[in-house]
């Protein structure tokens, strides 16, 4: 019978993967602590809905402003050192906030500025960090590797971190952020144990834009434009990014008013609203735990179609139900398929993108994610204000259903696309 360590991080994935996984789980715990503590801190300083909402906006604004730049930087520098540097900066930024809190000089504007600066550093850390896994494990193992990374996000960021952050905030406003500093600092230490990662070398076939200057020589394209050019001429990855963008628009529309839907339409109260989030996380844990079996027995094309079909049905179910217990069951199901989809979409993208472009394509994907969230949240608020709290669910149902019909056949091409050749120099160690 395999040991617990073997189940969590199979030996075939290598020593470096275990250090990466430990670092990811640790930093996710710190972020989960801040996930509840930061809004509580802002709310304790102001009653302005605009300022409270601005705190939430700091989660996606840095991605929209700096995402493409961060991806380009990750593709041209030592990615391990970039993650260490960005996480070190994150720890310093939060440390400055702790000093302001302990001294009694913290204001809501200082907190918002801290959140924005922290978000910028996080963009660079995540852009570089997302490229490390494909450099460590074989393409065939990317699925199980991503599933283990997702498990850390669910347990540390979604389940353990938020209640711990709320508890520590009740003890003292600076305590959750002090623990966050320790988590991020430990993540730096853990990732420093990874073997030095080589700076990606440009792939001529992947980056050739065909541009020729007036003198007849090829013109080296701007790194960001180079990545966008590759994406535009790679139909499987391009379609995958578009699917993620559109489905985030339809998903974010009803999610933007979920608290009102849960408390007013379903009558679940504040505790019931919190239970919805917990139900989704529990479903996700079951999903990532069973991903290895699913990957062996069900094709990616089938899994992708099933996940997107369930997304359509989920929106319809929420639009129709008035029962809080039914809503909890639906949300558990959402967690099941959503994290299977997240693992598959990440794995497929990583297998199809050359190592030298992993940062830029991942950043385009994340800009699409957060861009979709911004558009969807705006639409959700307008639709709910005009037609009621269930209207965003009907919008999401119709939009996702039409999108699914359009991408049903291209999904086969995405899943069947030939992975890029594996670089022998990037073979994982045998430890």
């Amino acid at each position: 019978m395999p040991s617990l360590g073997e189940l969590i991080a199979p030996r075939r994935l290598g020593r470096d993967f275990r250090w990466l996984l430990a670092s990811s789980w640790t930093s996710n715990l710190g972020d989960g602590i801040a996930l509840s503590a930061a809004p509580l801190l802002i709310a304790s300083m102001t009653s302005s809905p605009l300022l409270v909402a601005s705190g939430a906006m700091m989660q996606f604004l840095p991605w929209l402003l700096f995402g493409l730049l961060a991806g380009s930087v990750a593709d041209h520098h030592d990615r391990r050192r970039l993650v260490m540097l960005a996480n070190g900066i994150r720890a310093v930024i939060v440390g400055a906030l702790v000093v302001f809190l302990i001294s009694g000089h913290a204001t809501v504007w200082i907190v918002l500025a801290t959140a924005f600066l922290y978000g910028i550093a996080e963009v660079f850390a995540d852009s570089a960090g997302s490229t490390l896994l494909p450099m460590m494990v074989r393409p065939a193992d990317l699925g199980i590797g991503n599933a283990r990374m997702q498990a850390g996000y669910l347990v540390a960021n979604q389940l353990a971190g938020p209640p711990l952050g709320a508890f520590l905030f009740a003890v003292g406003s600076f305590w959750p952020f002090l623990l966050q500093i320790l988590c991020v600092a430990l993540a730096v230490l853990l990732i420093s144990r990874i073997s030095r990662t080589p700076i990606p070398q440009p792939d001529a076939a992947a980056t050739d834009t065909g541009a020729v200057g007036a003198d007849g020589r090829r013109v080296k394209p701007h790194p960001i434009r180079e990545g966008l050019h590759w994406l535009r001429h790679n139909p499987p990855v391009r379609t995958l990014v578009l699917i993620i963008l559109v489905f985030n628009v339809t998903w974010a529309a009803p999610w933007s008013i979920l608290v009102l839907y849960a408390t007013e339409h379903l009558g679940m109260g504040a505790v019931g609203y919190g239970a919805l989030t917990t139900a989704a996380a529990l479903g996700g844990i079951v999903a990532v735990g069973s991903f290895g079996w699913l990957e062996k027995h069900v094709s990616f094309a089938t899994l992708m179609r099933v996940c997107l079909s369930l997304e359509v049905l989920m929106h319809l179910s929420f639009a129709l139900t008035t029962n809080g217990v039914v809503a909890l069951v639906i949300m558990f199901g959402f967690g099941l398929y959503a994290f299977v989809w997240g693992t598959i979409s990440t794995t497929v993208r990583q297998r199809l993108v050359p190592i030298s472009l992993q940062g830029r394509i991942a950043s385009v994907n994340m800009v699409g994610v957060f861009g979709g969230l911004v558009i969807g949240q705006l639409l959700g608020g307008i639709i709910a204000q005009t037609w009621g709290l269930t209207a965003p669910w009907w919008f999401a149902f119709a939009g996702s259903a039409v999108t699914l019909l359009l991408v049903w056949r291209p999904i086969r091409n995405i899943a069947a696309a030939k992975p890029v050749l594996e670089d022998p120099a990037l073979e994982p160690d045998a430890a």
Side-chain angles (χ1 to χ4, degrees):
M1 182 177 179
S3 65
L4 179 61
E6 179 66 16
L7 289 173
I8 294 175
R11 185 174 297 275
R12 71 177 187 277
L13 300 185
R15 182 185 64 242
D16 283 350
F17 171 76
R18 294 194 287 272
W19 288 121
L20 175 65
L21 187 67
S23 176
S24 175
W25 285 24
T26 303
S27 63
N28 266 306
L29 178 61
D31 290 341
I33 290 169
L35 194 63
S36 61
L40 288 171
L41 178 60
I42 295 173
S44 70
M45 294 179 168
T46 178
S47 59
S48 167
L50 179 60
L51 290 177
V52 173
S54 296
M57 185 178 66
M58 295 305 134
Q59 297 178 24
F60 53 75
L61 185 59
W63 272 107
L64 298 181
L65 297 177
F66 301 101
L68 297 181
L69 174 61
S72 177
V73 171
D75 283 341
H76 293 85
H77 296 84
D78 186 318
R79 291 158 170 173
R80 180 184 67 100
R81 289 185 177 179
L82 278 176
V83 175
M84 293 170 59
L85 177 61
N87 277 334
I89 292 174
R90 288 205 295 168
V92 171
I93 291 171
V94 180
L97 175 62
V98 169
V99 171
F100 279 113
L101 289 172
I102 293 176
S103 66
H105 291 93
T107 67
V108 67
W109 298 108
I110 289 177
V111 175
L112 290 176
T114 299
F116 181 66
L117 294 174
Y118 185 90
I120 294 174
E122 188 172 34
V123 168
F124 284 86
D126 288 351
S127 293
S130 68
T131 68
L132 292 176
L133 183 63
M135 301 179 74
M136 295 177 182
V137 305
R138 298 174 178 86
D141 290 325
L142 281 172
I144 198 67
N146 279 306
R148 296 299 182 265
M149 301 287 277
Q150 287 268 26
Y153 169 79
L154 284 165
V155 174
N157 190 284
Q158 299 292 296
L159 287 178
L164 179 58
F167 169 76
L168 291 173
F169 186 83
V171 176
S173 62
F174 68 89
W175 284 110
F177 302 103
L178 188 60
L179 182 55
Q180 184 188 14
I181 294 172
L182 295 177
C183 288
V184 175
L186 179 58
V188 174
L189 178 62
L190 290 169
I191 210 164
S192 71
R193 303 288 296 173
I194 294 175
S195 303
R196 184 180 181 275
T197 54
I199 298 175
Q201 297 301 311
D203 185 323
T207 61
D208 183 14
T209 63
V212 179
D215 58 358
R217 297 180 180 179
R218 290 198 174 275
V219 178
K220 184 174 178 59
H222 188 278
I224 295 177
R225 191 179 301 116
E226 184 178 67
L228 295 175
H229 177 272
W230 183 91
L231 180 63
R232 188 166 61 251
H233 291 82
N234 189 284
V237 180
R238 183 185 67 226
T239 303
L240 183 60
V241 171
L242 290 175
I243 290 173
I244 290 170
L245 169 63
V246 175
F247 270 84
N248 268 283
V249 172
T250 56
W251 176 84
W255 248 251
S256 67
I257 51 93
L258 184 62
V259 61
L260 297 177
Y261 171 85
T263 56
E264 298 181 15
H265 180 71
L266 298 179
M268 298 179 70
V271 175
Y273 167 66
L276 286 174
T277 304
T278 302
L282 291 175
I285 290 174
V286 174
V288 297
S290 61
F291 185 82
W293 184 91
L294 289 172
E295 188 178 28
K296 290 179 181 178
H297 295 85
V298 187
S299 70
F300 270 12
T302 299
L303 285 174
M304 293 171 80
R305 285 171 173 164
V306 168
C307 288
L308 295 183
S309 298
L310 290 174
E311 175 88 351
V312 175
L313 294 176
M314 182 268 295
H315 292 311
L316 177 62
S317 301
F318 271 123
L320 294 173
T321 189
T322 58
N323 187 290
V325 175
V326 173
L328 287 171
V329 174
I330 297 171
M331 192 64 83
F332 180 82
F334 164 75
L336 281 172
Y337 76 78
F339 284 94
V340 170
W341 166 263
T343 300
I344 290 175
S345 61
T346 301
T347 300
V348 170
R349 188 190 72 244
Q350 289 174 341
R351 287 177 178 175
L352 299 180
V353 177
I355 287 292
S356 61
L357 289 170
Q358 288 278 347
R360 279 166 285 184
I361 303 305
S363 68
V364 172
N365 183 76
M366 290 303 296
V367 169
V369 167
F370 286 98
L373 292 178
V374 172
I375 297 170
Q377 288 170 344
L378 177 61
L379 289 175
I382 294 173
I383 293 171
Q385 183 74 30
T386 307
W387 291 289
L389 294 177
T390 59
W393 294 109
W394 288 110
F395 162 77
F397 165 65
S400 58
V402 171
T403 304
L404 178 59
L405 289 175
L406 294 174
V407 302
W408 188 266
R409 293 185 65 183
I411 283 175
R412 177 186 299 173
N413 297 329
I414 295 173
K418 183 179 179 181
V420 297
L421 293 177
E422 188 175 14
D423 187 345
L426 301 177
E427 285 285 321
D429 61 353

